[in-house]
Amino acid sequence: MNLTGEQIIGNSFSKLGTSTFQGMQADSGIAISTPFYEATTTEIDLAIAKAKTAFASLRKTSDEKRVLFLEAIAEEIMAIGDPLIEMACLEAGLPTARIQGERGRTTGQVLAFANFIKNKTWVNSIDDPALPDRQPLPKPSLFQKQIPLGPVAVFGASNFPLAFSVAGGDTMAALAAGCPVVFKAHPAHPNTCEMVGRAIQKAAKRTEMPEGIFSMVHTTSHEIGGYLVQHPDIQAVAFTGSYRGGKALYDLAVRRPIPIPVYAEMGSINPVVILSEGLAAHGASLAANFSQSVCLGQGQFCTNPGLIVIQKSDEAFLQDLATQLDTMSLNAFLTQGIAQAFTKGCEKLDQHPAVKRFTTQAIPSPSLFVTSAQAAMKDQEILEEVFGPSTLAVVVEDQAEMIAFIESLPGQLTGTIHGTIDEIKAFPELIEALSLRVGRILLNGFPTGVEVSPAMVHGGPFPATSDSRGTSVGTQAIYRFTRPICYQNFPAELIS
């Protein structure tokens, strides 16, 4: 595939900008040769204009035709072959097996949305018949269904160059719903993005979808990203990344003359509560498995278990965990910036007077830090996410303090409990407290790894996400890009 570094604007390409940047090899920081052109506001306007025109046509396009489009996307991604795997590994610094698995997850979720909209019930129709003889007033006929919002902007994530990127869940949910997508490629892997973007463009042409159903722009500029979000014809925004980035986009969107929804997934420290009886039963394997989860993917998952909650009487487990983490190696980070931020975050915790580091390798390295619940509740900065292979243990005096600490936490994507069924039954307050703080609760497992399924919730209360009512993983994600409409006294033949 001949990469050009141009914007994909519907069925065409554009390079009106004069500034360029390059993708980087994650492990060495060496630039990859292809220059990528910074998008201009003119190109953003053109992409959105095409998306708006496409939406008018797409609203009349059948679900069956969108199914063919989605299936073609999966086929075209696979048709790229090994060059896609090789480029993603180069730009993200991830091993071949990980990227191969991620490609399978990506095409799998594309097909999951295709299968989901094959069933007409996905529009959640509600047929509420008329009651003309009702007293004292007759009741009209009412019919409700979901309809697409319109053109949406999707921002790619840095940590999943395929599964949360160009053909990721946000894009596929929007396309399945019938919303054209203007995708902002992540500058950490622009070459990979162009490969997948061209595959989607090819699939759109092949299935004769309206031009403008998909466009992709490149930029390193926050201003251009902000311009995209504030454009009056964009009807929703999806974002996966940092709290700072997601909150900035959210603030721009709600300050528009006509505010729009922003579905920002902004990270989490994912508390893992370890109870005494569960620890007694599985202590040795728990330390080994926990360390693997912390270091999986170099700790660069939004579901990384970055917080342990454990009673003081069980504190000896932390030394076992530290010993396991000290055997783990540090590999390449996704970007040089993430590597620097990880080092800075670890050093900040290491220097905090209320925090002790239990691992012994020099920073940067897989790390375990320990503090008390009182210190963490007094200084919330201790709980700030350190993106990478690091976790913080908060030691509580008893179950009452455990609940108090959990209730003090900000919103999280996940919460995990390790314990026996009997001890959890005897401690019902724990599930209740966690359920108010997280989008997904796990029992005797680890949060890394998110199943793409109808029941999955990859979301949670603020600041884990900007809107806790949705999910960015699983087929229910489609409803972030639809809204309900009610038809009153309409015959069925007039409801399309």
Side-chain angles (χ1 to χ4, degrees):
M1 183 180 291
N2 181 33
L3 303 181
T4 64
E6 298 172 297
Q7 324 307 324
I8 296 175
I9 310 294
N11 293 343
S12 304
F13 298 91
S14 178
K15 52 177 181 180
L16 299 181
T18 56
S19 298
T20 62
F21 67 97
Q22 291 169 278
M24 299 288 180
Q25 297 181 36
D27 57 354
S28 66
I30 297 172
I32 300 170
S33 59
T34 303
F36 283 80
Y37 293 84
E38 294 274 0
T40 65
T41 55
T42 299
E43 289 167 320
I44 298 291
D45 289 341
L46 181 57
I48 296 174
K50 286 183 179 290
K52 184 178 181 181
T53 301
F55 182 58
S57 175
L58 199 57
R59 291 192 65 185
K60 302 177 181 67
T61 302
S62 67
D63 290 352
E64 289 78 10
K65 190 166 184 180
R66 290 204 311 285
V67 167
L68 294 176
F69 174 43
L70 295 175
E71 290 174 340
I73 289 173
E75 291 169 3
E76 294 296 344
I77 289 172
M78 292 304 299
I80 301 171
D82 289 343
L84 177 62
I85 302 296
E86 293 162 2
M87 182 58 73
C89 289
L90 193 65
E91 289 190 306
L94 297 169
T96 299
R98 154 71 192 271
I99 294 298
Q100 288 174 333
E102 192 176 322
R103 180 180 61 181
R105 173 189 170 132
T106 302
T107 56
Q109 65 192 5
V110 175
L111 296 176
F113 280 108
N115 289 329
F116 186 64
I117 64 173
K118 284 179 182 178
N119 189 330
K120 296 297 184 182
T121 62
W122 83 267
V123 297
N124 290 342
S125 60
I126 302 173
D127 191 358
D128 193 0
L131 297 173
D133 298 327
R134 190 184 68 175
Q135 296 297 327
L137 294 172
K139 174 184 169 295
S141 69
L142 301 169
F143 182 86
Q144 184 190 114
K145 62 178 286 190
Q146 295 288 320
I147 62 172
L149 295 177
V152 304
V154 175
F155 288 69
S158 66
N159 59 339
F160 282 86
L162 298 178
F164 277 79
S165 189
V166 187
D170 291 335
T171 302
M172 292 305 115
L175 292 177
C179 296
V181 170
V182 179
F183 184 86
K184 193 199 86 65
H186 199 286
H189 36 80
N191 293 275
T192 305
C193 286
E194 183 173 341
M195 286 181 166
V196 179
R198 284 174 175 265
I200 296 176
Q201 183 193 56
K202 188 174 180 180
K205 291 180 180 179
R206 181 179 131 194
T207 55
E208 299 180 332
M209 299 304 290
E211 183 182 5
I213 190 172
F214 174 81
S215 294
M216 185 175 73
V217 296
H218 294 277
T219 184
T220 60
S221 164
H222 296 310
E223 289 74 20
I224 291 295
Y227 183 84
L228 176 59
V229 169
Q230 294 176 94
H231 196 287
D233 290 326
I234 290 295
Q235 300 302 310
V237 175
F239 169 88
T240 298
S242 68
Y243 170 78
R244 183 177 178 182
K247 185 61 163 58
L249 296 181
Y250 175 84
D251 289 343
L252 289 173
V254 298
R255 291 171 185 162
R256 289 173 32 152
I258 301 177
I260 58 172
V262 174
Y263 301 103
E265 193 260 274
M266 299 179 289
S268 177
I269 53 175
N270 306 297
V272 177
V273 179
I274 300 178
L275 300 179
S276 299
E277 291 179 15
L279 183 59
H282 305 291
S285 62
L286 186 57
N289 292 334
F290 198 107
S291 63
Q292 291 288 338
S293 184
V294 169
C295 296
L296 185 66
Q298 194 69 353
Q300 298 167 117
F301 292 151
C302 49
T303 53
N304 187 57
L307 177 65
I308 304 166
V309 184
I310 192 168
Q311 292 190 81
K312 191 173 183 62
S313 57
D314 298 320
E315 196 172 5
F317 166 78
L318 298 178
Q319 194 56 62
D320 294 337
L321 178 58
T323 299
Q324 290 285 341
L325 287 170
D326 275 333
T327 68
M328 310 295 283
S329 59
L330 197 67
N331 301 311
F333 283 87
L334 293 160
T335 68
Q336 299 295 311
I338 291 174
Q340 293 166 5
F342 175 72
T343 299
K344 184 177 179 180
C346 287
E347 289 175 344
K348 183 178 179 180
L349 279 175
D350 197 33
Q351 294 162 10
H352 196 288
V355 177
K356 182 178 180 181
R357 186 166 178 262
F358 270 34
T359 42
T360 59
Q361 293 187 78
I363 295 173
S365 62
S367 298
L368 169 64
F369 299 93
V370 183
T371 191
S372 68
Q374 289 299 317
M377 287 189 285
K378 183 178 179 181
D379 183 1
Q380 287 286 309
E381 285 192 2
I382 294 175
L383 299 176
E384 287 182 359
E385 181 182 17
V386 179
F387 192 63
S390 169
T391 192
L392 170 73
V394 170
V395 179
V396 299
E397 294 293 332
D398 50 31
Q399 290 188 346
E401 189 173 63
M402 180 179 287
I403 295 300
F405 173 69
I406 291 170
E407 290 177 341
S408 76
L409 288 173
Q412 306 291 327
L413 295 173
T414 75
T416 302
I417 302 171
H418 281 273
T420 66
I421 299 301
D422 286 343
E423 75 179 324
I424 295 170
K425 282 182 177 179
F427 191 16
E429 302 91 341
L430 178 57
I431 295 177
E432 179 67 17
L434 276 176
S435 69
L436 296 176
R437 289 291 177 269
V438 307
R440 175 167 58 113
I441 302 178
L442 297 86
L443 179 61
N444 294 328
F446 295 94
T448 39
V450 183
E451 184 70 26
V452 180
S453 76
M456 177 52 63
V457 174
H458 190 59
F462 186 87
T465 68
S466 57
D467 191 329
S468 63
R469 295 169 296 177
T471 175
S472 63
V473 175
T475 49
Q476 295 300 298
I478 198 171
Y479 298 114
R480 295 173 300 158
F481 305 109
T482 66
R483 66 175 178 86
I485 187 169
C486 178
Y487 298 89
Q488 182 167 330
N489 288 333
F490 272 66
E493 61 266 25
L494 293 182
I495 302 174
S496 59

